[in-house]
Amino acid sequence: MTIKFDPVTLELLWTRLVSIVDEAAAALLRTSFSVIVRESHDFACVLTDARGHSLVQATDGVPSFLCTVPRTIGHFLAEFPPETLREGDILITNDIWLGTGHLPDITVAKPIFLNGKLLAFAGSVAHAPDIGGRIRTAESREVYEEGLQIPIMKVVREGTIDDTFVRFLRKNTRVPDQVMGDLYAQFTALDLMERRLRALLGEHGLEDLVALADEIHGRSEAATRKAIRAVPDGIYHADVVTDGLEQPIRLKLALHKQGDSIMADYAGTDPQVPRGINVCLAYTLAYTAFAVKAALCPEVPNNEGAFRPITVSAPVGCILNSTPPFAGANRALTGHFIPPMILQALADAIPDKVIAGVGSPLWSLNFAGVRADGSPIANQFFMNGGYGAGAAHDGANVLSWPSNVSAAPVEMIEQGAPFRIRHRRLRVDTGGTGEHRGGTGQEWAFESRNPTPVAITFMAERTRQEAAAPGLAGGGAGTPGAVLIDGTVVDPKRQHILNPGSTVELRTPGGGGYGDPAQRDAALAAQDIEDGLVTETKL
């Protein structure tokens, strides 16, 4: 029997689904242990149907995870078909090529049953504060250097956790209480989604999610295809040069728009490299779909249907479609260039809906060491560059994009890590000039107060002038970033040792400007000077 949903009922069901995943995300946040989850919000909660097709993601979830979690659940189903799953099971993996693209992200999923029938999956992914191996660095050549690899397995069987797995994970991580605490927080979120979904279906007399999922997917797909049809047919090109390693890396894109579908072809992109900046195909697909949807139809709900009209092709073995055992710990340093490339390609077709280059990829400081009492310590802190300006607005200052993780408060960093924050301030004159100014970057200075040296690595890009965030429609490029230790510029792609009393400074890039700088409103230019964002010499 085909179930029809009237608009009011459908809206009620949809908002309840959103509330379920948002409540689960809040529970995960409140019960998590690490700064990277609790303060930076580097996690997501997702509900899928029984096929592993995404229905809804928590509102503040990391954009890339919306596409990677359902794909991982698909891999779970290939390993554990429905008939092998039991109520109370939880599946787990952090496999690079089956998950999000790097080992710190642990993906878990719980099959949800109703009257003995598989109903849905509650899924979650969270960035662990440590996963063993080398601390997160671009220097790793193979995945084996990057930490513990968790194959697809049942971490919980019918409600009983695998004690051997727990002991193994704790033994292989530097901060086991934080790692396990975050994992238990993920389990809490899964349990909550399970209870709330069952209650919702019971209230509305639904025995499964098939009809509701088909309705949601169908409407989202139709709305996305309508938005795509409004873009003129054609092949739109873009290419990006990144800092790379010893040599820059070039990414190439041909965006094929035909009718109501879009295919992103990354042929011509440089090959994968023996360093930890390679990107798995799932991550490439995720940020391609995110960027297309953000530009064309951001109001359409995020689910499987919305992404069906968008496909990706990337040569096997290129840096955007890596193969085992190539490393990928810092895959964001490459993958975060994908959304700007999409917008660059679409700039001629829809100039009013795109932005100039952003002062991203996301920057971070990673460290590991030993406290005075001999106990190990490890963590990661994020910081953002300037946002790109658009046709109608300036770029926001220090705004993360395309990821939406947050910077941890200074108080939390100093409370849990052996650092004194000497300053955290906006970086003057870093946004690109234009009718609309690019967002400014920021400056952080970390002084080590640890009694022994700590190892530090970075995620940092756009440090070379040729890789600066480009302007659009005549706007100027943003100012590149820099990493310094005790006042000396260092290579951010390498591991460094920070001695007691030494200071590391991270200067994040500015975003690109939009439009002719001569057309900037005089009042806005004067306000920039008054706010301390621009000096008169920059005008």
Side-chain angles (χ1 to χ4, degrees):
M1 181 180 67
T2 303
I3 300 176
K4 296 292 184 180
F5 296 93
D6 65 82
V8 173
T9 301
L10 184 61
E11 179 66 16
L12 286 171
L13 289 168
W14 171 252
T15 54
R16 283 287 296 279
L17 288 173
V18 173
S19 72
I20 288 172
V21 288
D22 281 351
E23 186 181 357
L28 196 162
L29 199 66
R30 289 195 302 269
T31 56
S32 61
F33 279 50
S34 73
V35 170
I36 200 168
V37 172
R38 189 178 64 251
E39 301 294 341
S40 295
H41 299 190
D42 196 352
F43 72 95
C45 293
V46 178
L47 266 175
T48 79
D49 62 18
R51 299 163 294 185
H53 296 167
S54 63
L55 278 174
V56 61
Q57 179 190 26
T59 304
D60 293 331
V62 175
S64 64
F65 294 160
L66 174 61
C67 286
T68 62
V69 171
R71 287 176 67 92
T72 302
I73 291 175
H75 292 300
F76 286 159
L77 280 167
E79 186 80 14
F80 291 98
E83 61 271 16
T84 67
L85 298 173
R86 300 291 181 269
E87 190 168 329
D89 287 350
I90 296 180
L91 305 170
I92 190 171
T93 191
N94 71 340
D95 187 299
I96 284 181
W97 295 275
L98 305 181
T100 75
H102 73 167
L103 297 181
D105 288 340
I106 299 177
T107 303
V108 293
K110 184 175 189 178
I112 301 173
F113 293 87
L114 186 64
N115 300 322
K117 180 181 179 181
L118 181 60
L119 179 70
F121 282 91
S124 171
V125 58
H127 187 138
D130 184 65
I131 199 65
R134 303 180 68 167
I135 61 172
R136 189 177 180 186
T137 173
E139 288 189 290
S140 297
R141 300 177 63 86
E142 297 180 322
V143 65
Y144 307 111
E145 302 174 49
E146 297 184 307
L148 179 67
Q149 297 185 72
I150 305 171
I152 289 178
M153 61 177 290
K154 289 186 179 183
V155 63
V156 177
R157 290 179 176 270
E158 299 184 55
T160 301
I161 194 165
D162 187 326
D163 183 61
T164 300
F165 169 84
V166 173
R167 293 169 58 199
F168 200 82
L169 183 62
R170 292 184 64 89
K171 186 68 173 178
N172 282 276
T173 53
R174 296 174 178 86
V175 284
D177 289 342
Q178 291 186 50
V179 174
M180 282 307 307
D182 284 357
L183 189 57
Y184 284 130
Q186 289 182 262
F187 294 169
T188 296
L190 301 184
D191 291 345
L192 192 150
M193 284 187 273
E194 177 184 43
R195 295 195 305 272
R196 296 292 187 265
L197 183 61
R198 284 176 172 172
L200 173 63
L201 296 190
E203 290 175 27
H204 289 267
L206 297 174
E207 296 182 356
D208 57 44
L209 275 174
V210 175
L212 180 58
D214 288 346
E215 185 78 16
I216 291 171
H217 292 155
R219 286 173 176 262
S220 298
E221 180 178 356
T224 302
R225 292 193 183 278
K226 179 181 178 180
I228 292 174
R229 278 196 298 271
V231 178
D233 285 351
I235 302 175
Y236 301 95
H237 296 273
D239 64 88
V240 168
V241 174
T242 79
D243 286 350
L245 301 162
E246 289 78 12
Q247 298 295 324
I249 288 172
R250 183 173 295 275
L251 312 178
K252 296 183 71 67
L253 166 67
L255 199 66
H256 298 254
K257 190 277 174 180
Q258 182 65 42
D260 61 1
S261 64
I262 282 181
M263 193 275 283
D265 183 3
Y266 294 99
T269 289
D270 283 354
Q272 59 192 355
V273 294
R275 293 292 189 275
I277 59 172
N278 301 292
V279 182
C280 73
L281 187 60
Y283 197 77
T284 297
L285 171 62
Y287 269 127
T288 299
F290 162 72
V292 169
K293 185 176 177 299
L296 301 185
C297 49
E299 73 285 349
V300 175
N302 291 319
N303 56 65
E304 171 79 16
F307 300 120
R308 284 175 181 164
I310 305 164
T311 55
V312 165
S313 173
V316 175
C318 80
I319 201 167
L320 295 179
N321 186 4
S322 66
T323 58
F326 280 80
N330 283 359
R331 87 297 198 216
L333 291 181
T334 305
H336 278 190
F337 281 98
I338 292 172
M341 285 178 67
I342 298 291
L343 299 190
Q344 178 186 333
L346 290 171
D348 288 339
I350 50 171
D352 59 326
K353 293 186 177 181
V354 300
I355 59 172
V358 294
S360 192
L362 186 70
W363 279 44
S364 73
L365 166 71
N366 314 269
F367 77 94
V370 179
R371 295 183 185 273
D373 62 4
S375 61
I377 184 172
N379 217 322
Q380 179 175 11
F381 305 118
F382 294 112
M383 52 216 66
N384 307 318
Y387 197 66
H393 55 80
D394 289 347
N397 301 322
V398 296
L399 178 66
S400 175
W401 194 83
S403 180
N404 60 346
V405 299
S406 305
V410 168
E411 295 83 358
M412 296 306 299
I413 294 174
E414 293 187 336
Q415 176 181 320
F419 293 117
R420 173 73 53 83
I421 308 301
R422 285 303 179 188
H423 61 251
R424 178 190 179 188
R425 61 198 181 203
L426 293 176
R427 193 177 171 212
V428 181
D429 288 339
T430 53
T433 58
E435 180 179 1
H436 297 109
R437 173 186 48 76
T440 63
Q442 61 182 314
E443 299 176 350
W444 285 74
F446 295 77
E447 178 190 347
S448 177
R449 306 300 293 265
N450 207 51
T452 59
V454 295
I456 56 172
T457 63
F458 310 97
M459 279 179 39
E461 262 287 347
R462 296 200 187 277
T463 64
R464 297 176 177 175
Q465 187 59 51
E466 58 268 30
L472 195 60
T479 301
V483 177
L484 302 86
I485 295 179
D486 291 333
T488 300
V489 175
V490 299
D491 183 352
K493 297 294 198 308
R494 298 190 179 279
Q495 177 177 296
H496 301 272
I497 301 299
L498 194 65
N499 292 312
S502 288
T503 299
V504 57
E505 185 174 4
L506 293 96
R507 302 174 180 173
T508 67
Y514 190 105
D516 182 359
Q519 300 301 313
R520 183 153 181 80
D521 184 272
L524 292 177
Q527 188 65 51
D528 287 341
I529 295 174
E530 183 177 341
D531 292 342
L533 303 177
V534 175
T535 61
E536 293 194 38
T537 58
K538 185 68 180 289
L539 296 177

